């Protein structure tokens, strides 16, 4: 199994994880209608069977239901599981005790006494300063309840600030979780990726398949009916799908050469960037198995460059 270290010297995890926003979420992902607990349970165990034991969740995913489901599944598992979850800086969380209480609640739902990675979901400063927040997280590392600290959706400047606060405590900033895919590449030009590489921070790439656009399932000629969050995304319109069709064709051609799917090629492209862990979602066992097929092989440098060039023209 390909592995990667979180940050400069953090825990080792598979080079690909599973994002679980859709597990238990009824607001965006139609949980309970198109799929349910049994399907995501099968996804969980299919991922483990494929060697992918790194799951990313958050307290707000399904208002805690995602964590609860994972906690239940882990009780059934006979193998180690590595969990990343997140703290949301809500306005009424105004002191360090809020961090302690929120982490405690997540651990209770997950039925564990520590997590591999704990992340700040958004860089909001309401009534609690970033320094107070970061120091509270550092305290939890020292208590052993957090293996590594991460942030999510942080700009280059915010990431550098968090890194400095942690460095003052002798603790590295391990992760910045960002929206990153062949169709979403802003972190390459806004300083986030360069700063992460400079500081040794790993990028967790959420939405690495652009909500399914990079799977080849959605085309101008044949597109399934849109549900959930996809209804709000203009890239799923006829015009949007026509714009990205050259990239989908390239993914299919390269995939055929490697006997891989377009999605597996798109995920492998992210892995090839170095210091990047894609965390695609999986609502069922087949999707989890397909995700794992991005591991164990590599695109050639020419193929990486070809996808790079075509994707830039499609954005």
């Amino acid at each position: 199994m390909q592995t990667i270290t979180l940050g400069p010297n953090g825990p080792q995890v598979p080079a690909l994880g599973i994002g679980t926003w859709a597990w238990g979420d009824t607001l965006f992902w139609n949980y309970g209608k198109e799929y349910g607990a049994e399907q995501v349970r099968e996804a969980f165990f299919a991922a483990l069977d494929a060697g992918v034991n790194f799951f990313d969740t958050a307290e707000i995913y399904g208002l805690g239901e995602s964590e609860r489901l994972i906690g239940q599944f882990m009780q059934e598992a006979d193998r180690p599981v590595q969990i990343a979850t997140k703290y949301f800086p809500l306005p009424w969380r105004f002191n360090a005790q809020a961090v302690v209480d929120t982490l405690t609640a997540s651990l209770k739902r997950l039925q564990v006494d520590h997590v591999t990675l704990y992340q700040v979901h958004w860089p909001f400063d309401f009534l609690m300063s970033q320094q107070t927040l970061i120091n509270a997280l550092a305290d939890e590392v020292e208590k052993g309840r957090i293996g590594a600290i991460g942030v999510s959706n942080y700009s280059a400047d915010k990431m550098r600030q968090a890194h400095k606060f942690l460095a003052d405590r002798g603790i590295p900033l391990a992760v910045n979780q960002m929206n990153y895919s062949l169709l979403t590449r802003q972190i390459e030009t806004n300083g986030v990726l360069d700063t992460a590489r400079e500081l040794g921070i790993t990028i967790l790439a959420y939405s690495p398949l652009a909500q399914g656009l990079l799977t080849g399932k959605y085309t101008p000629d044949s597109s399934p009916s849109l549900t959930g969050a996809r209804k709000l995304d203009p890239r799923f319109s006829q015009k949007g799908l026509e714009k990205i069709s050259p990239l989908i064709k390239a993914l299919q051609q390269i995939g055929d050469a490697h006997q891989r799917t377009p999605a597996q090629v798109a995920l492998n492209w992210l892995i090839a960037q170095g210091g990047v862990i894609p965390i695609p979602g999986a609502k069922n066992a087949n999707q989890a198995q397909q995700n794992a097929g991005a591991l164990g092989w590599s695109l050639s440098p020419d193929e990486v460059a070809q996808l790079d060039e075509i994707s830039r023209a499609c954005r």
Side-chain angles (χ1 to χ4, degrees), residues 60-188:
I60 65 167
Y61 292 171
L63 300 178
E65 186 63 17
S66 177
E67 290 180 330
R68 280 189 288 269
L69 287 167
I70 292 171
Q72 293 169 16
F73 304 154
M74 283 195 292
Q75 293 303 304
E76 303 175 41
D78 58 357
R79 287 156 284 183
V81 176
Q82 300 185 83
I83 299 298
T85 192
K86 305 180 195 73
Y87 166 92
F88 201 97
L90 294 164
W92 52 86
R93 291 174 171 170
F94 56 84
N95 58 27
Q97 187 61 41
V99 178
V100 176
D101 294 343
T102 305
L103 174 59
T104 298
S106 285
L107 295 176
K108 183 176 180 180
R109 287 188 289 268
L110 290 163
Q111 302 184 54
V112 295
D113 58 10
H114 72 281
V115 289
T116 299
L117 175 68
Y118 198 54
Q119 303 154 96
V120 183
H121 211 144
W122 286 91
F124 296 147
D125 293 313
F126 292 110
L127 300 177
M128 188 192 312
S129 70
Q130 284 291 308
Q131 187 165 14
T132 298
L133 172 56
I134 295 299
N135 276 320
L137 295 173
D139 290 344
E140 294 297 335
V141 171
E142 293 173 355
K143 293 176 188 175
R145 298 208 300 171
I146 298 172
I149 295 173
V151 294
S152 182
N153 302 297
Y154 271 46
S155 68
D157 288 343
K158 284 280 191 181
M159 181 169 53
R160 193 178 293 278
Q161 181 189 59
H163 177 272
K164 181 184 182 302
F165 289 149
L166 282 171
D168 291 342
R169 295 287 298 270
I171 297 172
L173 177 61
V175 158
N176 189 4
Q177 185 172 151
M178 298 295 296
N179 191 347
Y180 188 29
S181 73
L182 275 163
L183 289 174
T184 310
R185 300 180 61 178
Q186 287 89 337
I187 71 167
E188 296 175 352

Side-chain angles (χ1 to χ4, degrees), residues 4 8 10 14 18 35 83 135 146 155 182 281 283 293 297 302 315:
I4 187 170
I18 297 289
Y35 64 102
I83 299 298
N135 276 320
I146 298 172
S155 68
L182 275 163
K283 296 178 184 174
W297 63 284
D302 285 347
R315 287 183 296 154

Side-chain angles (χ1 to χ4, degrees), residues 212-229:
L213 281 170
L214 295 171
T215 65
K217 178 180 178 181
Y218 300 90
T219 69
D221 300 322
S222 175
S223 181
S225 59
L226 301 179
T227 60

Side-chain angles (χ1 to χ4, degrees), residues 191-232:
V192 168
L193 188 58
D194 288 342
T195 301
R197 287 173 172 164
E198 174 195 340
L199 300 177
I201 297 167
T202 303
I203 296 291
L204 256 60
Y206 71 79
S207 197
L209 297 175
Q211 308 293 356
L213 281 170
L214 295 171
T215 65
K217 178 180 178 181
Y218 300 90
T219 69
D221 300 322
S222 175
S223 181
S225 59
L226 301 179
T227 60
R230 293 184 181 91
K231 288 183 177 180
L232 308 176

Side-chain angles (χ1 to χ4, degrees), residues 195-302:
T195 301
R197 287 173 172 164
E198 174 195 340
L199 300 177
I201 297 167
T202 303
I203 296 291
L204 256 60
Y206 71 79
S207 197
L209 297 175
Q211 308 293 356
L213 281 170
L214 295 171
T215 65
K217 178 180 178 181
Y218 300 90
T219 69
D221 300 322
S222 175
S223 181
S225 59
L226 301 179
T227 60
R230 293 184 181 91
K231 288 183 177 180
L232 308 176
D233 192 334
R235 296 177 300 179
F236 285 88
S237 67
Q238 180 82 12
K239 183 177 179 181
L241 292 170
E242 289 172 353
K243 185 176 181 180
I244 68 169
S245 60
L247 177 59
I248 303 305
K249 182 177 180 180
L251 290 170
Q252 290 168 335
Q253 291 174 339
I254 292 172
D256 288 345
H258 290 274
Q259 296 184 309
R260 303 285 172 169
T261 66
Q264 289 164 349
V265 174
L267 294 172
N268 195 276
W269 181 87
L270 281 170
I271 294 169
Q273 304 310 302
V276 176
I277 303 175
I279 49 170
K283 296 178 184 174
N284 55 54
N286 180 61
Q287 290 177 356
Q289 291 162 352
Q290 289 295 314
N291 290 343
L295 298 171
W297 63 284
S298 298
L299 293 166
S300 71
D302 285 347

